[in-house]
Amino acid sequence: MDTVRPAEPSYDSGISEVPLLGDTIGGNLDRVAARVPDSDALVEHARGRRWTYREFVADVDALALGLLEAGIGKGDRVGVWAPNRAEWTLTQYATAKIGAVLVNINPSYRLHELEFVLNQAGVRMLVSAQRFKTSEYTEMIEQVRPNCPGLEQVVLFDDATWDALFDRGRAGDAARLAAAQAELGADDPINIQYTSGTTGFPKGATLSHHNILNNGFFVGELCGYSEVDRVAIVPPFYHCFGMVMGNLACTSHGAAVIIPSEGFDARTALEAVSAERCTSLYGVPTMFIAELDHPDFDTFDLSSLRTGIMAGSPCPAEVMKQVIDRMGMTEVSICYGMTETSPVSTQTRADDSLDRRVSTVGRVGPHLEVKVVDPVTGLTVPRGESGELCTRGYSVMLGYWEQPDKTAEVIDEARWMHTGDLAVMDSAGYVSITGRIKDMVIRGGENVYPREIEEFLYTHPDIVDAQVIGVPDARYGEELMVWARLRAGAPELTAEALREFCTGKLAHYKIPRYVHVVDDFPMTVTGKIRKVEMRQQAKDLLGLED
């Protein structure tokens, strides 16, 4: 009699012959700079500024000593509020050198959010740009400062306060910095990154040297980085994508950080890749869509590109194929993760097939574990079945800053981080993200995953981008609505026309009832679609408040 073999569980661990790094961010930078002192470390394309590794470490050390002279030391929180500028990166490494905890502040924050973060993190010094786009940071800081009693010092870029910090550092005693570095451990908290906070105030994910240095290093390893690579970092530094997958992946390999501009602009991103002969380009899918759609795209020489990373939100298959075919990024990688896991948990490899790279978020990263569990029972589901993705290992945050109750909601007793994402693991360990647990739409008792419908809608000849949400419905509980961006010159897209396109290709309950054509989607500064905001706007548009 044949025996029935039990299905393989949805669990995988990342085996690696390359050991974890055991040093601090500052120590790692010093070692790499000693190896490649004359290689480019940092290039700010828009301003024409550049640093070799020797010059970069000299400025980092001067700023670090300046912070020490200003009374900032190990464990003190230093906020940084600015778009992508060289000063942001210098501040990142200078604070790491002395063990101060860098508090990343979202460049789009308004007054109440700024005040909350400054107080919740206990920021003693705020390093800031004077303005960005329509935000006058200097004025906003002055407005909140009376309500932030712990904020002792404000230092502004392009201002005498910034110059003074450097001047004090250059005149300081290098032995004092060496002594400060000697007091640091790799497991010390070094960074607080606030999550998006779609409901209520954001939470501060607290990360160590060990967390983010290793994550940046292994992301870079899987991208094949060395000192010959030049990485155009378009996503904002305040987010893990920019400062970990970007800056730390580069500096841990001796590669060059290329900053195209302060904020995302498709033209300047393409210009920077061409002018600096970048080998790698980063972005969320909406950024790549904008670059590919730029009217002058074909005029830029992108022949230096070989790799890059698409991450931050689900990557449409059609966009991925164009990035490979039209941008020459044959080794482009998909990464999946979250702020709380430093961020990357899974990543595709350069030798993965095109199908793997357009339909999955890759396999578990080195030295990490992932599993897919039943959200109700917590038991690991068989491979091929959907459940909640969990991850464990060096990357999991220390916790939410001074919020142990919130930490306990997402990190269980066995140190598994519960992501809130729905996923399926196949027989080879590749993971596909099928949506957020909270984004799942239940229509008439049927579970509908927006990602599946969005992928199908990308095959419509007139749709450039599509986002599907659930809206209230008296009969079915929820109905489907698509927000769509159309190609220039496309005819009007009606619900009837879309239904005709979908009929026979999608199950009837997966066909959107409502269509809303837009020029742009509500987004966070990192390019993530804010479906919470879309759902609220949809209620108003459709008169569904009741």
Side-chain angles (χ1 to χ4, degrees):
M1 183 176 176
D2 291 336
T3 58
V4 178
R5 296 179 61 188
E8 189 175 0
S10 296
Y11 169 87
D12 201 9
S13 60
I15 299 170
S16 176
E17 295 180 357
V18 180
L20 287 164
L21 301 177
D23 50 5
T24 62
I25 290 169
N28 179 261
L29 175 64
D30 289 341
R31 273 182 276 281
V32 172
R35 180 171 61 84
V36 292
D38 298 318
S39 294
D40 280 345
L42 178 63
V43 177
E44 193 175 35
H45 172 71
R47 293 170 181 255
R49 299 190 290 174
R50 59 183 63 232
W51 288 256
T52 64
Y53 268 90
R54 180 185 287 109
E55 293 164 340
F56 182 66
V57 169
D59 276 0
V60 166
D61 286 357
L63 182 55
L65 263 170
L67 291 169
L68 288 173
E69 294 290 333
I72 300 298
K74 180 179 178 180
D76 288 331
R77 272 78 69 201
V78 176
V80 58
W81 193 29
N84 285 15
R85 286 186 50 164
E87 289 87 348
W88 205 110
T89 305
L90 289 167
T91 303
Q92 174 184 348
Y93 288 85
T95 51
K97 279 246 179 174
I98 64 172
V101 179
L102 185 73
V103 179
N104 301 8
I105 302 176
N106 188 325
S108 67
Y109 271 179
R110 309 315 299 162
L111 289 171
H112 74 288
E113 296 159 316
L114 173 64
E115 181 180 317
F116 172 81
V117 166
L118 292 174
N119 285 323
Q120 205 275 330
V123 171
R124 288 189 62 201
M125 175 187 281
L126 176 62
V127 177
S128 175
Q130 296 190 42
R131 63 188 57 83
F132 178 53
K133 295 183 177 177
T134 59
S135 296
E136 292 292 335
Y137 288 170
T138 307
E139 295 177 8
M140 296 169 72
I141 292 167
E142 288 308 308
Q143 288 184 62
V144 303
R145 201 165 182 179
N147 301 322
C148 301
L151 180 60
E152 300 167 3
Q153 302 178 66
V154 174
V155 176
L156 300 173
F157 299 161
D158 305 314
D159 180 79
T161 52
W162 177 257
D163 295 337
L165 205 58
F166 262 98
D167 290 343
R168 292 176 73 177
R170 290 193 179 100
D173 182 1
R176 186 179 181 193
L177 177 57
Q181 282 191 258
E183 296 297 317
L184 306 183
D187 294 318
D188 294 337
I190 199 64
N191 185 214
I192 298 175
Q193 298 199 29
Y194 281 86
T195 58
S196 300
T198 51
T199 57
F201 281 110
K203 301 181 290 292
T206 307
L207 304 167
S208 67
H209 293 270
H210 193 68
N211 287 149
I212 60 177
L213 175 59
N214 276 291
N215 204 259
F217 175 71
F218 281 103
V219 166
E221 285 287 286
L222 294 184
C223 288
Y225 287 162
S226 71
E227 61 270 21
V228 304
D229 282 289
R230 305 173 67 79
V231 184
I233 302 174
V234 177
F237 288 150
Y238 97 87
H239 189 268
C240 268
F241 200 168
M243 70 163 284
V244 178
M245 299 158 67
N247 292 346
L248 285 168
C250 288
T251 60
S252 60
H253 290 89
V257 171
I258 311 296
I259 306 174
S261 55
E262 289 191 350
F264 173 66
D265 177 79
R267 171 177 281 280
T268 55
L270 294 167
E271 284 176 350
V273 170
S274 179
E276 293 295 334
R277 308 305 297 150
C278 292
T279 58
S280 178
L281 173 63
Y282 285 8
V284 298
T286 51
M287 293 173 178
F288 281 101
I289 289 168
E291 290 155 1
L292 289 161
D293 202 36
H294 194 279
D296 298 328
F297 176 86
D298 292 329
T299 67
F300 296 101
D301 180 4
L302 308 181
S303 60
S304 58
L305 286 173
R306 69 166 178 86
T307 189
I309 294 176
M310 289 179 73
S313 58
C315 304
E318 289 304 313
V319 176
M320 182 68 157
K321 289 172 183 174
Q322 287 194 56
V323 165
I324 293 171
D325 294 340
R326 296 179 61 203
M327 302 181 91
M329 295 167 57
T330 56
E331 298 177 22
V332 65
S333 182
I334 295 287
C335 288
Y336 162 83
M338 60 194 307
T339 303
E340 291 89 340
T341 55
S342 303
V344 175
S345 296
T346 68
Q347 185 172 352
T348 60
R349 275 59 165 176
D351 59 353
D352 280 339
S353 68
L354 176 62
D355 180 62
R356 293 288 195 197
R357 285 187 280 163
V358 299
S359 62
T360 78
V361 290
R363 292 176 286 133
V364 63
H367 302 287
L368 296 173
E369 299 172 89
V370 293
K371 66 177 179 178
V372 181
V373 304
D374 183 308
V376 177
T377 67
L379 297 176
T380 303
V381 300
R383 294 201 181 193
E385 290 190 14
S386 180
E388 182 182 18
L389 184 65
C390 299
T391 186
R392 180 168 68 178
Y394 74 82
S395 67
V396 176
M397 66 175 178
L398 300 178
Y400 292 122
W401 184 259
E402 295 189 342
Q403 290 186 293
D405 55 330
K406 297 296 184 183
T407 303
E409 291 176 7
V410 296
I411 300 177
D412 64 26
E413 292 181 352
R415 290 291 296 171
W416 284 100
M417 176 75 204
H418 290 251
T419 67
D421 284 320
L422 293 165
V424 175
M425 182 184 293
D426 70 14
S427 59
Y430 287 84
V431 175
S432 298
I433 303 298
T434 57
R436 291 286 290 169
I437 291 176
K438 65 183 180 183
D439 284 343
M440 185 178 72
V441 179
I442 304 177
R443 181 193 180 277
E446 296 278 4
N447 291 352
V448 181
Y449 301 104
R451 171 77 189 279
E452 175 191 355
I453 302 168
E454 290 161 0
E455 286 286 354
F456 170 72
L457 293 178
Y458 278 107
T459 66
H460 191 292
D462 294 333
I463 293 178
V464 174
D465 202 352
Q467 299 294 325
V468 174
I469 58 172
V471 295
D473 184 77
R475 181 178 180 185
Y476 293 106
E478 286 186 287
E479 261 292 6
L480 295 172
M481 179 182 192
V482 59
W483 289 36
R485 286 180 54 229
L486 304 182
R487 65 172 176 80
E492 180 186 2
L493 180 66
T494 64
E496 292 74 19
L498 187 69
R499 189 176 303 112
E500 183 178 343
F501 177 78
C502 296
T503 298
K505 301 169 187 172
L506 285 179
H508 70 91
Y509 63 87
K510 297 179 182 178
I511 298 175
R513 178 177 175 184
Y514 304 105
V515 173
H516 181 45
V517 175
V518 296
D519 293 326
D520 294 292
F521 303 110
M523 288 188 188
T524 67
V525 72
T526 56
K528 288 186 178 181
I529 308 295
R530 285 185 53 82
K531 288 196 171 182
V532 169
E533 188 174 331
M534 287 170 60
R535 282 189 283 267
Q536 185 55 51
Q537 289 186 29
K539 290 179 185 177
D540 297 336
L541 286 167
L542 302 174
L544 300 174
E545 283 296 346
D546 295 332

